[in-house]
Amino acid sequence: MTQPSETRSQTNRRTGNFLLEVNDLQKGFGGRAVLRGVSLSVPRGSLFTVLGPSGAGKSVLLKCLANIEEPDGGQVSFEGRTLDFRDASSRGSFLRRCSFLFQGNALFDSLTAFRNVSLPLEQTTSLGRGEIRARAVEALEQLELGDYADHYPGMLSGGMQKRLALARAIVTRPEMVFFDEPTAGLDPLRRNAVFAMIAKYQALVGFTALIVTHDIVEALVASDTVALLHQGEICFYGTPDEFASSPHPVVQSFRDSPAALRSTLDGLRRGEAASEQS
Amino acid sequence: MNSDKKLEFGVGVFVLLGLAALVYLTLKLGAGELVGSDTYPVEARFANTGGLSAGATVMLAGVTVGRVDAIRLDPQDYSAIVEMRVRAGLPLPADTMASIKTSGLIGDKFVALAPGADEELLEPSARITMTESALELESLISKMAFGSVNEGEGEDQKPSTSTEP
Amino acid sequence: MDVVGSVGSFTLDKVRGLGDFALFTGRSLAAVFATKRLGARVARAVYEQGFRCLPVILIVGTFTGLVLGLQGYYVLNRFGSEALLGVLVSLSLVREMAPVLAALMLVGQAGSALAAELGIQRNTEQIAALDTMGINSCGYLVTPRLLAALFVFPAQTALFVAVGLWGGSLSGSLLLGVDPGVYWSSVQRAVESEDVRECLLKAVTFGLLTVSICAYQGFHAHRIRGATGARAVSAATTKAVVISSIAVLAADYVITSFLI
């Protein structure tokens, strides 16, 4: 994995350091604040992970960035330009340069794998049919789905659906890809495979990745920048190494959750044993 | 690709059927044979239209030759003026008589034309002067009761008093 | 105070909903010029609203004609004017029965399917996916269906009239002995171009109205209060069918009262 870091540093040198900057983003639902002023800076070319327990507001943060939800306050700037969420052309040009990978893949179940991948090109670009076909086939083959072009998403396995979703995300050659819990509900081996896949295609295609997840082990290994979202606020921002050694209490409890579980279980077992003895 | 063929076939079938039905509805049913083809206007003054309505047919010898366009009241002598459109290929003599009749006992009212023998023809927008008002069922019954059906008919058949405009 | 307040908020809610619905429809119609490759999508919508619904339209149309022929014959027979059967059947079909019943049948088959499909697409974030791709989701999902309705509803209505007249002649002429020539000539005589215009105007109005209502309900299935997932989709579908049916009958009354 030396190649990606090389390309990253190259791009950083060329065009400033941060691709996406979030400043004091706020969002609430029915009086309940979910995001209480989130600020983040995502370096260009990085694999950026937002960690956090369930319910910390990770998905909402991502939806605000991807224009599915409108934030109540705060700013998002892309390449140093502030986005106006209410201005259709500003939104449109931002969305055309980003892709979004949904937790449930959000594949179009009435379209074949090929049509799923070619749809964004058909609808948002003015490419010719041949060019669209070539690029869609290329994206499918990059994700080893070339033989499944005529299959409907429902006929594919879970892992293949995930890959198809990624193929659809990268076919537009985005500068940034948002991942919403890409490993949710997968076993550890598959989780590894998903992170490996993201890192591999990031190196191949060269996008900036922002991943929201609670799979701490894989995230710390794969990503180069980590943020921890806790109760709607960012309480840690840094490299995985810094995360591993951070004294912040929330970071510690999140980091040490397996150990905490072990001690809890040990306590329970000891208690059971004691009650059995008595 | 099979589903694409099915889709194309289905769309084709429906479009053809739908267009055929639309053509039938608009051209055959709606328009009759008159709208679109050439017609010319004719007027007639009646003392009583007896419930004739716009859209009623105009018949000659039992054949539909036109339709009633509009009915309006002449405020000067309180008579009704019926505007009709008659098929263009059918020139009518100037002494054509128009009468309002009923198909069946309570059926539709229609205008029946009875051509005369005049050499001169009715100009477009000319007014038919010989008219016979609608036969009213009630008056007919009362006349029958008093045995004066024939006299009543003569009374009703008086020509309009108006002059050509 | 509470009653007044809740009446007020209810009214505001409904008015806001109406405004939102109007915006939704307007946006979908405006997207005609902004959406690419609309043709294939329109063809699919014509297939769904048209070809798939042909059987129900033909069957219901035939039976409507049969019943009109029977009922009309017995009513007219009392006055000895069976000769007017064609008038009765054709005018009731053209002016009221065909546009209204065809629209209701299309709501039942195509409208409910549309609401459920969009509801599931909302539920599985397919609509959100379109949005994040920068694709106009209204333009992609709703516009082709509205365009298709502009042709499909009048065409289905015309088919309904055709098979209805045939049904009327079956029961009137074949069964009850009205002379077929008398029947068909009175049909021919009765229907005016204004009647046909009214019929087609109704069909187009009902088409735009019901398709946009069903699409709106399905599209906003996530806004259904107190239900999520499959429940929300079923609630949205029910709402779509109920509101569309009411809208068809209400619009029918309004159009009829303006045209008569």
Side-chain angles (χ1 to χ4, degrees):
Chain A
M1 281 289 168
T2 48
Q3 199 192 353
S5 56
E6 267 175 35
T7 52
R8 258 172 240 161
S9 52
Q10 279 166 3
T11 42
N12 277 355
R13 240 177 284 133
R14 204 165 54 231
T15 51
N17 30 5
F18 294 121
L19 183 63
L20 183 82
E21 282 169 285
V22 181
N23 189 19
D24 194 29
L25 198 69
Q26 290 166 8
K27 176 74 186 171
F29 292 99
R32 192 173 60 90
V34 178
L35 300 179
R36 311 158 195 251
V38 172
S39 301
L40 284 176
S41 300
V42 181
R44 184 183 285 273
S46 66
L47 205 159
F48 189 103
T49 309
V50 178
L51 282 167
S54 301
K58 302 190 300 290
S59 280
V60 174
L61 170 64
L62 217 53
K63 281 178 176 162
C64 283
L65 295 182
N67 282 260
I68 301 172
E69 301 277 1
E70 193 182 326
D72 297 337
Q75 287 167 341
V76 179
S77 40
F78 189 70
E79 285 196 317
R81 215 168 303 137
T82 305
L83 297 171
D84 181 357
F85 287 95
R86 287 166 180 262
D87 177 27
S89 71
S90 154
R91 266 180 59 167
S93 65
F94 169 68
L95 290 176
R96 269 193 289 283
R97 299 167 68 182
C98 297
S99 282
F100 199 96
L101 211 78
F102 287 82
Q103 191 173 345
N105 298 330
L107 295 165
F108 304 118
D109 44 22
S110 56
L111 302 179
T112 60
F114 174 77
R115 292 270 295 127
N116 258 288
V117 176
S118 62
L119 184 77
L121 294 178
E122 271 175 24
Q123 293 289 327
T124 60
T125 66
S126 49
L127 298 173
R129 268 177 200 278
E131 173 75 8
I132 288 177
R133 195 172 173 82
R135 276 174 68 168
V137 168
E138 184 195 339
L140 283 172
E141 274 167 4
Q142 272 178 345
L143 285 140
E144 290 146 40
L145 288 166
D147 297 338
Y148 299 94
D150 287 337
H151 286 53
Y152 286 91
M155 299 152 74
L156 301 175
S157 72
M160 281 154 88
Q161 287 186 8
K162 188 62 78 186
R163 274 188 281 155
L164 180 56
L166 184 59
R168 188 177 69 179
I170 62 171
V171 75
T172 53
R173 303 189 179 157
E175 286 162 61
M176 177 139 201
V177 182
F178 297 96
F179 295 85
D180 188 5
E181 305 265 8
T183 54
L186 297 181
D187 60 65
L189 285 177
R190 291 261 161 76
R191 289 210 293 267
N192 282 342
V194 167
F195 272 101
M197 176 178 87
I198 293 171
K200 180 176 165 195
Y201 292 107
Q202 188 190 24
L204 207 65
V205 184
F207 53 79
T208 305
L210 193 151
I211 304 173
V212 152
T213 183
H214 49 235
D215 289 324
I216 179 166
V217 183
E218 291 83 357
L220 288 182
V221 176
S223 53
D224 44 33
T225 317
V226 177
L228 180 66
L229 190 65
H230 181 70
Q231 290 181 348
E233 286 168 18
I234 295 288
C235 58
F236 173 84
Y237 175 88
T239 63
D241 291 340
E242 285 165 357
F243 187 86
S245 58
S246 167
H248 193 289
V250 180
V251 176
Q252 271 185 354
S253 71
F254 201 67
R255 192 176 56 207
D256 300 337
S257 55
L261 174 65
R262 194 174 302 128
S263 70
T264 314
L265 288 181
D266 283 351
L268 281 174
R269 285 185 195 122
R270 234 172 277 130
E272 275 173 22
S275 61
E276 271 171 28
Q277 274 176 1
S278 65
Chain B
M1 294 299 114
N2 194 17
S3 69
D4 274 8
K5 282 272 180 295
K6 215 172 89 186
L7 179 87
E8 278 168 22
F9 173 77
V11 171
V13 166
F14 179 76
V15 168
L16 287 180
L17 269 179
L19 281 180
L22 278 174
V23 166
Y24 170 72
L25 184 68
T26 48
L27 296 186
K28 186 96 172 40
L29 268 190
E33 56 269 53
L34 288 165
V35 173
S37 63
D38 276 344
T39 58
Y40 67 93
V42 171
E43 286 186 357
R45 180 189 294 271
F46 289 95
N48 181 6
T49 60
L52 184 78
S53 53
T57 46
V58 177
M59 289 184 149
L60 199 158
V63 179
T64 304
V65 296
R67 279 182 199 282
V68 172
D69 234 15
I71 300 171
R72 59 190 161 84
L73 191 72
D74 186 341
Q76 285 180 337
D77 60 354
Y78 305 110
S79 61
I81 294 169
V82 175
E83 297 169 13
M84 297 169 276
R85 300 196 74 87
V86 177
R87 200 189 287 167
L90 185 79
L92 292 169
D95 60 346
T96 297
M97 198 178 85
S99 45
I100 296 175
K101 300 215 159 139
T102 310
S103 62
L105 203 56
I106 56 155
D108 273 355
K109 293 265 194 297
F110 65 94
V111 178
L113 298 178
D118 206 318
E119 295 281 301
E120 272 181 65
L121 297 177
L122 274 178
E123 300 283 311
S125 292
R127 184 169 291 171
I128 295 175
T129 48
M130 300 273 288
T131 61
E132 186 184 35
S133 286
L135 213 57
E136 277 177 37
L137 206 58
E138 296 92 329
S139 60
L140 193 69
I141 290 167
S142 72
K143 280 169 192 165
M144 241 159 75
F146 296 107
S148 58
V149 176
N150 290 331
E151 291 159 44
E153 224 172 63
E155 225 172 56
D156 233 20
Q157 212 173 329
K158 66 171 188 272
S160 256
T161 49
S162 66
T163 48
E164 291 298 313
Chain C
M1 272 314 276
D2 242 24
V3 176
V4 175
S6 59
V7 167
S9 74
F10 177 82
T11 314
L12 271 180
D13 209 45
K14 292 295 153 198
V15 170
R16 205 174 296 131
L18 269 183
D20 200 39
F21 169 69
L23 259 178
F24 174 80
T25 311
R27 219 179 295 135
S28 303
L29 287 175
V32 167
F33 305 104
T35 308
K36 288 174 184 168
R37 311 228 166 140
L38 208 52
R41 302 279 306 159
V42 174
R44 167 148 291 278
V46 169
Y47 180 77
E48 282 164 2
Q49 297 171 9
F51 186 72
R52 284 241 195 106
C53 299
L54 264 182
V56 72
I57 291 291
L58 298 182
I59 292 168
V60 172
T62 309
F63 277 108
T64 307
L66 282 170
V67 166
L68 280 175
L70 271 182
Q71 292 280 19
Y73 181 84
Y74 283 113
V75 172
L76 293 172
N77 193 27
R78 292 192 197 167
F79 306 104
S81 23
E82 305 92 51
L84 295 178
L85 185 65
V87 178
L88 191 145
V89 173
S90 60
L91 284 188
S92 358
L93 272 176
V94 170
R95 299 179 67 142
E96 288 295 331
M97 303 295 251
V100 171
L101 285 180
L104 290 181
M105 291 301 121
L106 290 174
V107 166
Q109 183 156 358
S112 60
L114 169 60
E117 186 178 336
L118 291 187
I120 288 172
Q121 287 185 321
R122 168 64 75 187
N123 217 354
T124 52
E125 294 188 306
Q126 293 178 44
I127 293 178
L130 286 173
D131 287 336
T132 59
M133 287 174 189
I135 299 174
N136 182 340
S137 49
C138 279
Y140 182 74
L141 295 169
V142 184
T143 308
R145 268 114 174 182
L146 283 175
L147 290 183
L150 284 179
F151 168 70
V152 170
F153 274 67
Q156 298 278 34
T157 304
L159 281 168
F160 195 105
V161 169
V163 294
L165 289 176
W166 175 71
S169 84
L170 274 189
S171 62
S173 306
L174 218 64
L175 231 62
L176 298 168
V178 175
D179 182 71
V182 170
Y183 175 82
W184 286 109
S185 76
S186 67
V187 165
Q188 198 61 248
R189 203 150 35 83
V191 182
E192 300 282 334
S193 57
E194 287 97 87
D195 299 325
V196 173
R197 220 173 299 143
E198 179 182 344
C199 172
L200 296 182
L201 175 71
K202 280 181 177 178
V204 169
T205 313
F206 296 164
L208 289 180
L209 203 58
T210 58
V211 170
S212 53
I213 288 173
C214 291
Y216 178 81
Q217 294 299 339
F219 202 85
H220 297 112
H222 60 305
R223 288 201 206 148
I224 300 268
R225 246 171 264 155
T228 52
R231 279 241 171 133
V233 174
S234 89
T237 310
T238 310
K239 257 178 111 176
V241 172
V242 170
I243 296 176
S244 302
S245 308
I246 295 172
V248 165
L249 294 169
D252 183 50
Y253 177 78
V254 172
I255 295 174
T256 309
S257 67
F258 270 109
L259 289 183
I260 275 185

